[in-house]
Amino acid sequence: MHPILETRKLCHVYSQGTPFEQTALHDVDFTAYAGEYLGIIGHTGSGKSTLIQHLNGLLKPTSGQVLFDGTDIWSDPAVTRQTRFQVGLVFQYPEYQLFEETVYKDISFGPKNMKLDEGEIDRRVRQAAEFVGLTEAQLAKSPFELSGGQKRRVAIAGVIAMEPRVLILDEPTAGLDPVGVDAILGNIRDYHQATGATIIMVSHSMEEVARTVERLVVVNDAVIPFSGTPREVFRHGAELETMGLGVPQMTRVFLRLRQLGVDIDPSVYTVEQARDAILAAKGVG
Amino acid sequence: MALKDITLGQYFPGNTPIHRLDPRTKILLTLYYIVALFTAEFLLTYALMFLALASGIAISKVGAKTILRGMKPVVLIVVITALLNLFYTPGTPILSFWIFTLTVEGIWAAFFMTVRILMLITGTFLLTYTTSPILLTDGIESLLGPLKKVRVPVHELAMMMSIALRFIPTLIEETDKIMSAQKARGADFETGNLFQKARALVPLLVPLFISAFRRADELAVAMECRCYHGGEGRTRMRQLKYTRADWAVIVLGLLGCIAITVMGHFGL
């Protein structure tokens, strides 16, 4: 697999040289491969937000490198700017960054900054709106007339419209009702399948990432203690608990069953897998 | 995160005798000090006041470094004031070139003006460094209390000030976040001419205003839910109380003030 984004020995220290000095990242080696659906988990203050802000050059490393397609993104200001367009970043609660008179104009803010021509901007805005399920009529509305969930979709469309090769989303489902959560996750999955872009989703909900991502990176106390497929990561159940992250409910049930002496595979994390594992254990499946 | 590094409240928590003084004492003392500073005209009186200020700083444990760092933004003003005084005070000329004339009186005037401004700033800094913003507004509200009789909305003004102070860090954080979000969409806040830079601020200011209004709305509702209805009959969790140390300092300050005025009369 081709690594699209890499960090090498990435360190970031906030307020260096003051009494408020704080190390947010320490010698982090992180890799995202082209086309994968990657999850980053960590509790509040673990350094995950600092990490993603390095990936598109919003924060400059205190030391270490960030490579996009093998090039150091800080090697040249033009490269840094290009990286911002290639690596789209959707912040937490992105609906608070909307500012234009109409939804259409707000989505076109990114493409306009890329200096694309009118026709291309129009195509991208409409396509991005379609990905997130916004209707033609909504494009002409003021973003402030929409509901919370709709506003969030507008904000996500604003980043998708830049057609980034890597799309990073920081807790895209925070504060939404279950229907809204499913809709947003569905939109992201559709985008991933249709464009083949790399998706990096930051979350602290194990249930959510377990359902969606192909690979997981755990961030804790400024380092990455482990990464791998959800199945591999959830084997570290006990360590995850001490990090305050916890494992999906199904995994917890199965870990406990094992402790009780039931011979069963503990690396399950969805209801379907649980069903199969139980059937296998009973010798039915 | 350059924005976050700005210290606006500039309060340095501590537990020194100066920190423990009643905020009203400190405000009154600072007022005496400012008045005395502008009545004092001679070396000895300045030396006296400098002594008072220096011992205040020493007791408060704020540190000379912090005080000096606070001076940085006013250096330019001080330099300009000093230069103007130096060359534009009429008196006995020492040397003159082009349109500038250096006079003996000018040198003295520049010296005193510089000392005066620096001491003024240091003195007021000592107040804000050792008093938390909340205590400061409580103190102001209590001192202005008598004005309530002539229908000045003292409590409301103090409440507005507390709320404003409380939300400065929140707004700075919010600005930082929105700026990053718009930069991620290719917004450029740094380059371009003045007009372009002003235009670039629109994507920052609109969301910032909207969120400020939203916060204000939420805060108003939260306050009403807890039956806030202005200052009338409102009691406090933290009661301000003058201690013996406060009275001592107030009397000492008053005496110092009188002494300086008297000394001024005798040309000291």
Side-chain angles (χ1 to χ4, degrees):
Chain A
M1 278 198 290
H2 167 65
I4 190 159
L5 262 175
E6 274 179 282
T7 70
R8 293 207 181 133
K9 296 239 166 259
L10 180 66
C11 289
H12 194 85
V13 183
Y14 284 113
S15 314
Q16 201 168 23
T18 72
F20 308 106
E21 191 173 299
Q22 199 195 349
T23 304
L25 292 173
H26 183 72
D27 278 353
V28 167
D29 290 322
F30 165 93
T31 312
Y33 298 99
E36 74 174 333
Y37 197 141
L38 179 71
I40 298 181
I41 42 174
H43 65 82
T44 318
S46 58
K48 58 187 192 321
S49 292
T50 310
L51 173 64
I52 56 168
Q53 287 187 56
H54 277 92
L55 299 181
N56 75 339
L58 275 177
L59 286 178
K60 197 169 180 172
T62 308
S63 70
Q65 280 183 309
V66 180
L67 307 179
F68 178 70
D69 248 347
T71 326
D72 187 334
I73 64 168
W74 288 100
S75 57
D76 178 29
V79 175
T80 315
R81 199 169 155 73
Q82 266 314 304
T83 311
R84 297 248 170 99
F85 298 128
Q86 297 288 337
V87 182
L89 176 54
V90 180
F91 276 83
Q92 210 171 351
Y93 297 106
E95 54 273 30
Y96 295 138
Q97 75 204 34
L98 302 175
F99 69 98
E100 276 286 10
E101 293 155 48
T102 67
V103 170
Y104 183 96
K105 275 191 182 169
D106 208 285
I107 298 176
S108 69
F109 181 66
K112 259 188 201 149
N113 285 329
M114 294 171 83
K115 309 261 180 321
L116 299 170
D117 63 66
E118 286 293 325
E120 178 67 9
I121 291 176
D122 188 65
R123 181 190 71 77
R124 287 185 174 207
V125 172
R126 283 174 201 287
Q127 200 175 19
E130 205 187 306
F131 270 122
V132 298
L134 290 166
T135 62
E136 192 73 22
Q138 282 168 331
L139 280 179
K141 275 192 175 172
S142 158
F144 303 106
E145 289 169 25
L146 304 177
S147 74
Q150 287 169 331
K151 276 189 204 166
R152 182 158 313 174
R153 280 187 232 169
V154 174
I156 293 175
V159 174
I160 286 179
M162 301 192 299
E163 297 190 351
R165 288 171 60 199
V166 181
L167 179 64
I168 307 174
L169 303 111
D170 191 354
E171 306 249 1
T173 60
L176 293 181
D177 56 56
V179 179
V181 170
D182 283 343
I184 295 269
L185 290 180
N187 293 153
I188 298 168
R189 199 164 38 241
D190 292 347
Y191 179 74
H192 179 59
Q193 272 158 10
T195 62
T198 309
I199 309 285
I200 300 178
M201 190 169 84
V202 177
S203 178
H204 62 241
S205 160
M206 282 290 180
E207 311 279 345
E208 192 177 292
V209 285
R211 275 200 324 221
T212 47
V213 308
E214 296 160 5
R215 200 163 68 87
L216 257 179
V217 170
V218 179
V219 183
N220 188 50
D221 274 346
V223 295
I224 296 179
F226 35 79
S227 62
T229 62
R231 213 173 253 273
E232 283 162 6
V233 168
F234 295 142
R235 288 216 183 95
H236 300 270
E239 286 130 289
L240 288 169
E241 295 274 0
T242 57
M243 288 172 195
L245 284 169
V247 290
Q249 284 168 3
M250 269 310 149
T251 315
R252 203 176 315 157
V253 169
F254 275 63
L255 281 171
R256 186 93 184 98
L257 278 174
R258 240 187 120 79
Q259 276 174 10
L260 292 171
V262 183
D263 182 26
I264 210 160
D265 178 13
S267 59
V268 298
Y269 48 88
T270 64
V271 177
E272 289 73 28
Q273 287 170 347
R275 181 194 62 202
D276 295 345
I278 292 169
L279 288 177
K282 291 185 78 177
V284 184
Chain B
M1 293 274 165
L3 273 172
K4 255 193 193 162
D5 295 335
I6 301 172
T7 50
L8 266 160
Q10 63 177 205
Y11 167 59
F12 281 76
N15 193 22
T16 66
I18 300 230
H19 282 87
R20 282 197 301 266
L21 280 182
D22 191 288
R24 291 170 295 182
T25 313
K26 283 188 268 189
I27 295 168
L28 282 179
L29 217 60
T30 311
L31 286 177
Y32 288 173
Y33 173 81
I34 293 170
V35 172
L37 207 56
F38 280 91
T39 43
E41 276 172 72
F42 306 98
L43 267 182
L44 192 65
T45 41
Y46 271 111
L48 241 162
M49 292 186 55
F50 186 77
L51 203 71
L53 180 64
S55 46
I57 292 171
I59 297 169
S60 71
K61 291 192 186 139
V62 169
K65 224 190 209 166
T66 324
I67 299 269
L68 286 177
R69 212 179 26 231
M71 297 287 193
K72 248 187 219 160
V74 289
V75 166
L76 191 71
I77 299 170
V78 173
V79 169
I80 291 173
T81 321
L83 285 177
L84 285 176
N85 274 293
L86 207 55
F87 295 110
Y88 289 100
T89 311
T92 337
I94 307 175
L95 108 164
S96 90
F97 55 94
W98 192 31
I99 52 165
F100 300 109
T101 318
L102 192 64
T103 63
V104 183
E105 286 78 0
I107 293 176
W108 279 115
F111 173 72
F112 278 127
M113 206 30 121
T114 311
V115 171
R116 202 173 264 175
I117 296 177
L118 291 183
M119 280 175 70
L120 176 74
I121 291 161
T122 321
T124 43
F125 270 8
L126 195 58
L127 175 69
T128 52
Y129 278 144
T130 60
T131 321
S132 76
I134 297 294
L135 276 179
L136 209 56
T137 42
D138 278 359
I140 292 172
E141 184 181 348
S142 167
L143 282 175
L144 296 180
L147 288 180
K148 278 181 193 157
K149 296 223 169 71
V150 283
R151 293 212 181 156
V152 177
V154 174
H155 169 79
E156 282 69 17
L157 289 174
M159 181 56 90
M160 269 154 67
M161 212 165 120
S162 311
I163 292 173
L165 285 169
R166 156 67 185 78
F167 277 98
I168 287 173
T170 314
L171 279 180
I172 290 180
E173 209 172 291
E174 188 100 2
T175 312
D176 227 30
K177 232 174 71 188
I178 298 171
M179 240 168 135
S180 298
Q182 305 299 22
K183 268 193 204 158
R185 293 206 278 167
D188 182 1
F189 296 107
E190 277 107 33
T191 56
N193 59 35
L194 198 64
F195 183 68
Q196 285 165 327
K197 270 189 187 163
R199 262 186 72 102
L201 285 181
V202 175
L204 173 64
L205 292 180
V206 173
L208 197 60
F209 270 104
I210 289 169
S211 85
F213 282 124
R214 186 173 46 83
R215 264 179 222 290
D217 217 37
E218 282 168 7
L219 183 69
V221 171
M223 283 169 85
E224 291 219 316
C225 284
R226 288 190 260 170
C227 302
Y228 177 81
H229 54 82
E232 217 165 307
R234 196 171 151 78
T235 53
R236 300 182 163 276
M237 193 170 100
R238 259 183 328 240
Q239 301 268 0
L240 294 179
K241 260 199 197 105
Y242 287 115
T243 61
R244 223 178 290 161
D246 287 304
W247 288 117
V249 169
I250 288 172
V251 171
L252 219 73
L254 251 181
L255 285 179
C257 232
I258 294 167
I260 281 164
T261 321
V262 173
M263 280 162 85
H265 270 291
F266 291 103
L268 284 165

